[in-house]
Amino acid sequence: MLHVRGTTYHFRRIVPPALRTALNRREIWVSLKTGYQNEARKRASLLHARTTELFSQAHLSLAEPDASSRLEGLRVALRDLQSVNLPSSAHETGSVPVSEPIPKPLTVKKMTKAPKAQPLMLSGALKRFVLDSPHASADTKKATQRAVDLFLQAFGDGGIEEPLVDAPGS
């Protein structure tokens, strides 16, 4: 249904075989005039609903005795599908397509925020995982302390993400 040509998304839909001769089309290609996937999905959804509606009208028209004038109107509507997706959403323009249900108002519940934990600082991580570790040798502790001191002089003591699992022996 969605295809990208260059940086622009396009809507593509195959016309049902029973309607191809009546509508003089095998498929429908419409530029969605956007390079953003989420916006393209919204526009394609509107076009899919509109083409489904037109296809069902065409099926009904085929059963009528004077179908030619009605089918011509549907052919014109298929050619004019480009105008269906021009606004970024139906809610911005105030118009809502027939096939789109009117959304219910949302009720927003106030969520309580959890207190933000203080981040683990590099100097704290050095103490926790190396200096306090009974498994680290004296040489490892000394070398790591020296490397961290140089890092702290150059960049300062910043917060780091805490590991999900503590180092072995901690």
Side-chain angles (χ1 to χ4, degrees), residues 41-156:
R41 285 181 179 164
K42 290 178 193 175
R43 293 178 186 184
S45 174
L46 289 173
L47 281 171
H48 189 273
R50 182 69 180 133
T51 54
T52 300
E53 191 176 298
L54 290 172
F55 291 160
S56 64
Q57 289 175 5
H59 277 294
L60 293 173
S61 296
L62 289 176
E64 294 176 1
D66 185 28
S68 61
S69 63
R70 188 165 163 96
L71 284 174
E72 184 57 38
L74 292 174
R75 286 185 203 117
V76 170
L78 281 174
R79 280 193 298 268
D80 293 339
L81 278 177
Q82 191 70 33
S83 63
V84 171
N85 66 52
L86 287 179
S88 60
S89 78
H91 302 292
E92 288 178 12
T93 61
S95 65
V96 178
V98 175
S99 58
E100 183 180 5
I102 297 173
K104 294 179 183 176
L106 296 175
T107 57
V108 178
K109 294 181 181 178
K110 194 171 185 178
M111 306 258 314
T112 58
K113 292 183 180 179
K116 195 170 185 177
Q118 292 287 52
L120 179 64
M121 303 303 275
L122 181 60
S123 57
L126 169 69
K127 182 172 180 350
R128 179 175 169 186
F129 296 111
V130 180
L131 300 179
D132 291 347
S133 173
H135 302 293
S137 68
D139 286 343
T140 298
K141 290 178 182 181
K142 185 177 177 182
T144 306
Q145 178 71 55
R146 189 177 16 200
V148 170
D149 285 342
L150 288 171
F151 184 88
L152 293 175
Q153 283 178 354
F155 301 105

Side-chain angles (χ1 to χ4, degrees), residues 3-71:
H3 294 277
V4 181
R5 283 189 173 173
T7 59
T8 305
Y9 282 90
H10 290 76
F11 170 81
R12 177 182 180 233
R13 184 156 184 199
I14 303 296
V15 174
L19 299 176
R20 288 180 184 169
T21 55
L23 297 176
N24 297 330
R25 299 189 90 165
R26 292 182 55 80
E27 64 182 13
I28 298 165
W29 273 92
V30 178
S31 171
L32 297 175
K33 297 183 181 173
T34 184
Y36 298 101
Q37 187 177 31
N38 287 339
E39 185 64 29
R41 285 181 179 164
K42 290 178 193 175
R43 293 178 186 184
S45 174
L46 289 173
L47 281 171
H48 189 273
R50 182 69 180 133
T51 54
T52 300
E53 191 176 298
L54 290 172
F55 291 160
S56 64
Q57 289 175 5
H59 277 294
L60 293 173
S61 296
L62 289 176
E64 294 176 1
D66 185 28
S68 61
S69 63
R70 188 165 163 96
L71 284 174

